Amino acid sequence: MQQKIIILDFGSQTTQLIARRLRELDTFCEILPYNKFPNDDPSVIGVILAGSPLSVYDEKAFKVDLSQFRGKMPVLGICYGAQFISHTLGGRVEPAGSREYGRANLTAIDTQDPLFKGFDKGSQVWMSHGDTITALPDGFHAIAGTDHVTNAAFAADNEPIWGVQFHPEVFHSVQGTLLLQNFVETICGGRRDWSAANYIDTTVAELKQQIGTDRVILGLSGGVDSSVAAVLLNRAIGKQLTCIFVDHGMLRKNEFADVMRDYECLGLNVIGVDASDKFMSDLAGVTDPEQKRKIIGRDFVEVFNAEAKKITDAKWLAQGTIYPDRIESLNITGKVIKSHHNVGGLPEEMHLQLCEPLKWLFKDEVRRVGRQLGMPEHLITRHPFPGPGLAVRILGDITREKVAVLQEADDIYIRGLRDYKVKLSGEEARRVLAAGVPAEMKDGEIEVSLYDQVWQAGTILLSEVRSVGVMGDERTYENPVALRAVTSTDAMTADWAHLPYDFLAKVSNDIINKVKGVNRVCYDISSKPPSTIEWE
Ligand code: XMP
């Protein structure tokens, strides 16, 4: 039986990070709302109570009945989780004199406690709380403290309960993963049996069982998730799977042909549909960003559905939905928000059942599974690309000529990012490795391309702006392009990437010299929020 750790969600933004860290430790875990602990699941080997934006004294504070798991399995409280345990069992939690926020060092650590096995004295952790535990419940003792926080971590004397007021799941807690590893392995006795190879074996077996001899349709986008889902399904059911890849005419340079070739090499049964004429004519003269998106969404559904309906005996619609798309995350009101995206109307109309073979995976795990399935690296580490494609990167109306100009400039930029190598260390190196980029740490450094260092990059054509330039003896009056590159872990927030000046200088020079119609290059230095990653 696959062991699992349950993470109870009390609404903190870092809850997902706990799950990601555990998965990096080859441990399966599930995030559930604080009031949905599965009482009768024998595969649960431990429980983590995560953080919350609320204080334990808040009227609306989320409360959990500890007796559901207390005494039955090890419990770890993190931040609010630790304060909740302490408060509920008779300790004292009070507003911190000054908010305890940011980096701190564990100046006192009990390294005899299994939770802190292997920790260094002074280990850096990340604090972020307005309340603090000023007195522990009877039968509990402190196992770590900082200069300002006496009870930074605690343990029960005679039962398996621990709490930490810092956040081991964030990168700034340098030995945070070790702490979680100690909890999983030493305290819960976890086998660390979650791996890409295992996932493939069990999922392929499940898919064979679930689908039998039925036919399945899957929409490919060229992106990582749908591609990995297709290859996994292909391994399970082979030619019973039909993939549909729609070209709306606004993909990157040569992308449709390149990706079709990749898919065919992978043995996928793919129908490529060139629908660019329809999209271009429906978009003619449209400048409003929302309207562009609506037209593209509608056309996409029409084209996809028309193709799918030809497969009259299909019983399933497969999608590359991944775990973060499905997590029922709580907002501050305690309401569960769940979003789920289907291809418009198709399942209802054709009575298709949904099949989501990646529904338990985080993005970095999807990449690991893809690699294990033998997919080419350029497909696996491909940046996210918006469904409406270059349409949302051309400000103004869309024409084939503008798309061609943008494709050329973008191609120079992206190839440049792939060619330029950088050495990274510390937090930055760990972030890139955690995203699933294959690189080896040597002497505390990794070497990766700028492409792999950033989350996403793209070029934007400011087609409604013209500026004056001079080329040779000629005056030019042409469009600028903006280059965008961001670092991020989930696209919810993003920072502009600090690309090297010599790289920017070379790319700018190459674009202006080689792309007719562009005489100026800008670099976008906005973060999200308040900006967004895409310009439209
Ligand atoms: P924003 O611009 O909202 O983008 O900061 C966040 C992430 O979502 C991608 N994106 C889209 N992806 N269809 C998609 O499939 C869309 O309409 C769309 N709009 C934005 C964007 O590229 C970034 O990764």
Side-chain angles (χ1 to χ4, degrees):
M1 190 187 326
Q2 174 86 63
Q3 300 178 324
K4 68 174 149 190
I5 301 266
I6 295 295
I7 301 166
L8 292 182
D9 179 16
F10 295 87
S12 162
Q13 295 203 332
T14 58
T15 306
Q16 270 202 41
L17 272 182
I18 304 174
R20 291 198 43 175
R21 293 287 103 79
L22 293 190
R23 297 283 188 89
E24 281 161 38
L25 291 166
D26 307 325
T27 302
F28 185 63
C29 58
E30 211 177 321
I31 299 175
L32 292 173
Y34 67 98
N35 54 359
K36 297 262 175 73
F37 182 80
N39 282 304
D40 305 319
D41 185 344
S43 63
V44 181
I45 58 165
V47 59
I48 294 179
L49 276 54
S52 172
L54 302 175
S55 149
V56 290
Y57 291 112
D58 213 301
E59 244 175 60
K60 296 197 177 104
F62 306 130
K63 296 185 174 64
V64 61
D65 176 4
L66 296 177
S67 69
Q68 295 174 97
F69 34 79
R70 189 175 175 192
K72 297 176 190 154
M73 65 187 69
V75 181
L76 172 65
I78 293 179
C79 195
Y80 174 89
Q83 292 165 356
F84 179 82
I85 292 170
S86 198
H87 175 67
T88 310
L89 301 183
R92 202 164 58 234
V93 176
E94 294 179 282
S98 57
R99 259 177 73 86
E100 286 160 0
Y101 185 83
R103 289 180 175 80
N105 297 91
L106 297 178
T107 41
I109 308 181
D110 175 2
T111 48
Q112 297 302 307
D113 190 282
L115 194 65
F116 284 110
K117 195 173 72 177
F119 258 64
D120 302 323
K121 187 159 184 294
S123 192
Q124 178 186 296
V125 293
W126 183 261
M127 296 280 185
S128 176
H129 48 102
D131 287 347
T132 194
I133 302 170
T134 50
L136 292 170
D138 286 345
F140 283 69
H141 59 279
I143 51 172
T146 70
D147 287 344
H148 304 288
V149 185
T150 318
N151 299 314
F154 63 76
D157 303 345
N158 296 312
E159 56 176 321
I161 300 183
W162 284 260
V164 294
Q165 293 207 75
F166 54 87
H167 287 272
E169 68 277 20
V170 307
F171 274 116
H172 308 288
S173 291
V174 174
Q175 293 183 293
T177 304
L178 176 61
L179 185 145
L180 293 171
Q181 182 180 343
N182 287 339
F183 180 69
V184 168
E185 253 184 327
T186 313
I187 295 175
C188 299
R191 284 192 300 263
R192 299 185 60 176
D193 54 0
W194 174 253
S195 69
N198 259 349
Y199 186 80
I200 294 168
D201 288 348
T202 39
T203 310
V204 164
E206 277 168 20
L207 288 169
K208 280 186 173 156
Q209 168 98 35
Q210 185 184 30
I211 292 166
T213 54
D214 294 346
R215 291 201 56 188
V216 181
I217 306 170
L218 179 143
L220 284 169
S221 67
V224 185
D225 302 342
S226 63
S227 304
V228 173
V231 176
L232 193 53
L233 269 159
N234 187 49
R235 182 165 290 190
I237 57 162
K239 297 290 178 232
Q240 286 161 248
L241 171 71
T242 305
C243 304
I244 300 170
F245 183 21
V246 177
D247 181 5
H248 53 29
M250 291 159 292
L251 295 170
R252 289 193 142 122
K253 185 178 172 185
N254 299 332
E255 190 167 21
F256 188 65
D258 290 350
V259 173
M260 278 298 283
R261 198 170 336 104
D262 283 336
Y263 286 151
E264 276 155 16
C265 287
L266 287 164
L268 296 181
N269 178 18
V270 195
I271 301 171
V273 189
D274 176 359
S276 54
D277 284 345
K278 174 178 174 60
F279 282 86
M280 285 298 160
S281 74
D282 289 352
L283 283 167
V286 179
T287 55
D288 178 66
E290 279 313 296
Q291 188 137 19
K292 282 189 203 169
R293 278 173 180 275
K294 276 202 191 110
I295 292 169
I296 294 169
R298 187 201 61 205
D299 282 4
F300 182 84
V301 169
E302 264 179 50
V303 174
F304 183 86
N305 287 6
E307 223 35 67
K309 278 182 195 158
K310 293 181 192 160
I311 305 160
T312 48
D313 54 346
K315 295 269 189 332
W316 298 83
L317 177 72
Q319 290 183 333
T321 318
I322 67 172
Y323 192 44
D325 301 335
R326 301 168 46 244
I327 296 177
E328 299 184 4
S329 55
L330 296 166
N331 73 3
I332 200 150
T333 63
K335 290 202 179 106
V336 168
I337 308 166
K338 187 169 184 176
S339 60
H340 208 108
H341 315 281
N342 287 345
V343 175
L346 194 61
E348 290 82 14
E349 215 181 304
M350 286 177 68
H351 307 291
L352 296 177
Q353 301 177 73
L354 269 186
C355 167
E356 298 175 316
L358 309 180
K359 66 182 178 186
W360 289 111
L361 303 184
F362 285 101
K363 193 86 178 180
D364 52 310
E365 294 175 313
V366 174
R367 293 193 165 126
R368 264 184 252 160
V369 166
R371 232 168 247 135
Q372 183 79 27
L373 287 165
M375 293 170 64
E377 203 56 41
H378 62 265
L379 257 188
I380 291 171
T381 49
R382 170 165 296 190
H383 287 167
F385 187 68
L390 300 180
V392 292
R393 296 182 181 169
I394 294 174
L395 308 197
D397 68 326
I398 294 160
T399 63
R400 281 193 188 272
E401 293 68 36
K402 288 183 189 178
V403 171
V405 168
L406 179 53
Q407 281 177 332
E408 287 305 320
D410 183 68
D411 186 55
I412 292 171
Y413 181 39
I414 298 297
R415 274 192 290 122
L417 287 166
R418 285 193 185 280
D419 290 344
Y420 195 106
K421 304 286 185 241
V422 280
K423 291 204 160 125
L424 305 176
S425 60
E427 275 163 24
E428 181 124 42
R430 284 193 286 141
R431 180 182 57 73
V432 170
L433 289 174
V437 172
E440 249 181 67
M441 183 76 86
K442 260 197 209 137
D443 303 326
E445 284 187 328
I446 55 170
E447 188 180 83
V448 293
S449 65
L450 282 179
Y451 184 89
D452 283 336
Q453 187 191 353
V454 304
W455 163 268
Q456 188 171 5
T459 312
I460 300 98
L461 179 66
L462 312 187
S463 75
E464 292 182 328
V465 176
R466 284 201 290 173
S467 76
V468 175
V470 56
M471 251 192 142
D473 294 330
E474 298 274 316
R475 174 185 187 272
T476 59
Y477 190 50
E478 295 174 329
N479 298 126
V481 292
L483 307 180
R484 182 93 166 117
V486 295
T487 54
S488 178
T489 50
D490 54 11
M492 301 295 283
T493 60
D495 195 7
W496 60 277
H498 296 208
L499 296 181
Y501 278 178
D502 61 334
F503 168 77
L504 289 171
K506 180 167 185 329
V507 169
S508 159
N509 214 33
D510 283 355
I511 291 177
I512 294 171
N513 283 324
K514 292 182 187 156
V515 184
K516 205 162 175 310
V518 176
N519 68 348
R520 200 170 287 271
V521 174
C522 309
Y523 187 56
D524 182 349
I525 53 168
S526 334
S527 56
K528 171 184 179 178
S531 298
T532 50
I533 296 176
E534 303 296 342
W535 278 41
E536 283 195 344

